[in-house]
Amino acid sequence: MERTLSIIKPDAVERNFVGQIISRFEAQGLRPVAMRMMHLSQKEAEGFYAVHSERPFFKDLVSFMTRSPVVVMVLEGEGAVARNREIMGATNPENAAEGTIRKDFAKNIEENSVHGSDSPENAAIEIAYFFRSTEIC
Ligand code: RTP
Ligand code: MG
């Protein structure tokens, strides 16, 4: 069993898609084992996306991620990191496959509804960023 960090981003929470998005994970073999709704501070968002701090979209990304609440979750399942990325679809919804979350819910390349860890190593770092081990069931 593997674990990954998932975030339902502000654009999806604002449009009331939390339940539909979690259902997609459940239906496709991933189980939430930790979950919290929170409104990220600027510091929290900057720290989470620190790897992108030199990218031209960083400031916009932090502003987007802090504008309203998100849902942070740990998802567990076989090959959870890769499985989650498949269920999410490509970063840009224009390139996302049919039936993926981003194809069906994302507004554009930035407001793309979900985050998912991109490797098991980063998943461990990102899970620890939001959850104590005692909060993971
Ligand atoms: P994520 O980290 O959120 O799961 O998304 P990702 O791996 O598919 O994409 P990544 O390259 O890591 O980018 C992180 C997030 O930054 C925003 N972004 N905006 N305006 C732009 O050109 C642009 N490019 C990326 C998106 O919210 C993307 O998910
Ligand atoms: Mg990424």
Side-chain angles (χ1 to χ4, degrees):
M1 280 295 174
E2 193 172 80
R3 288 175 175 171
T4 190
L5 185 87
S6 169
I7 303 179
I8 305 178
K9 294 182 178 181
D11 68 286
V13 177
E14 286 163 2
R15 289 175 292 150
N16 222 13
F17 291 145
V18 170
Q20 290 188 66
I21 289 173
I22 293 173
S23 292
R24 298 236 177 161
F25 295 132
E26 291 177 332
Q28 293 174 83
L30 295 178
R31 173 181 294 274
V33 293
M35 196 182 303
R36 181 187 313 119
M37 183 176 273
M38 60 191 296
H39 196 148
L40 294 174
S41 68
Q42 183 166 333
K43 266 195 171 167
E44 286 168 333
E46 285 173 352
F48 182 73
Y49 278 122
V51 296
H52 295 313
S53 62
E54 301 305 319
R55 307 278 283 275
F57 58 78
F58 181 68
K59 213 167 159 236
D60 275 357
L61 176 61
V62 169
S63 157
F64 162 53
M65 290 298 290
T66 57
R67 83 172 180 215
S68 61
V70 299
V71 175
V72 292
M73 290 180 288
V74 179
L75 299 176
E76 187 175 80
E78 222 168 277
V81 171
R83 189 88 194 95
N84 182 34
R85 304 269 314 176
E86 278 172 23
I87 298 167
M88 289 162 54
T91 309
N92 185 343
E94 287 178 15
N95 305 325
E98 293 295 329
T100 60
I101 290 172
R102 283 169 167 168
K103 176 74 177 182
D104 293 340
F105 297 110
K107 292 168 88 170
N108 53 52
I109 191 170
E110 175 179 84
E111 299 198 17
N112 59 5
S113 302
V114 279
H115 163 85
S117 308
D118 60 11
S119 67
E121 296 71 30
N122 284 337
I125 294 166
E126 292 180 356
I127 289 169
Y129 192 80
F130 286 113
F131 294 99
R132 302 168 192 278
S133 58
T134 52
E135 292 177 310
I136 303 172
C137 300

